[in-house]
Amino acid sequence: MITVNAVLRPGSTALLTTQGPDGPRTRPVIVHDDPAGEAGVLAVLTKPDTRKIADVAATPRATVCGTTADGYYALEARTEVIDDPAVVGPAMARFLGMDPAQAPAPEPGAAPAVAAIRLRFDSGKKWTVHSDKPFDNDVEDIEI
């Protein structure tokens, strides 16, 4: 059985779909390791005032999908927002190529500069496409 790590790795680009008040919204994102360090959890770093943060705060579910070398995948996830600078700041520093210990400390009382949407996957599918002919693909569950 194929695993999440086989289709989605930190540093890769995927499409994140959230549910907002006016329906679903999809946008490209870069996936990161979990800032809190929990195994099996990935994250998306973003500004705290983005629509995706508002969407997952209201409806804590998301779909992450993308392409593989031979097809496509889709993963369903429960979401959680973290905006604690002590947790998210080092993750942003790593993304920027800095030593996490050198992440700038936020000003006391200042709003967080970055937030993370944590993704805990529940289920997923991978489609292997063999040709451009209709129904010429295989579908398998992704091990979570």
Side-chain angles (χ1 to χ4, degrees):
M1 184 176 275
I2 193 158
T3 65
V4 171
N5 289 338
V7 296
L8 183 62
R9 289 200 160 103
S12 61
T13 301
L15 294 173
L16 175 74
T17 301
T18 59
Q19 185 67 38
D22 56 348
R25 183 173 173 103
T26 303
R27 75 283 277 162
V29 295
I30 297 173
V31 178
H32 301 269
D33 285 319
D34 178 33
E38 187 176 332
V41 177
L42 294 175
V44 172
L45 300 178
T46 188
K47 293 181 181 179
D49 60 353
T50 62
R51 179 157 164 197
K52 57 185 158 280
I53 291 287
D55 287 353
V56 299
T59 306
R61 300 282 312 162
T63 301
V64 179
C65 60
T67 60
T68 64
D70 58 359
Y72 305 90
Y73 69 89
L75 294 157
E76 301 297 326
R78 291 170 284 131
T79 61
E80 172 191 11
V81 175
I82 295 179
D83 61 3
D84 179 354
V87 175
V88 184
M92 189 64 183
R94 277 191 296 279
F95 174 64
L96 296 173
M98 299 168 48
D99 178 351
Q102 302 300 317
E107 295 293 323
V114 66
I117 299 172
R118 298 178 77 210
L119 304 162
R120 285 189 177 85
F121 299 108
D122 294 325
S123 63
K125 299 271 186 200
K126 180 187 181 295
W127 293 264
T128 301
V129 179
H130 300 288
S131 75
D132 61 355
K133 293 183 172 74
F135 310 110
D136 191 18
N137 61 70
D138 296 319
V139 181
E140 62 184 303
D141 289 328
I142 296 174
E143 185 177 324
I144 304 299

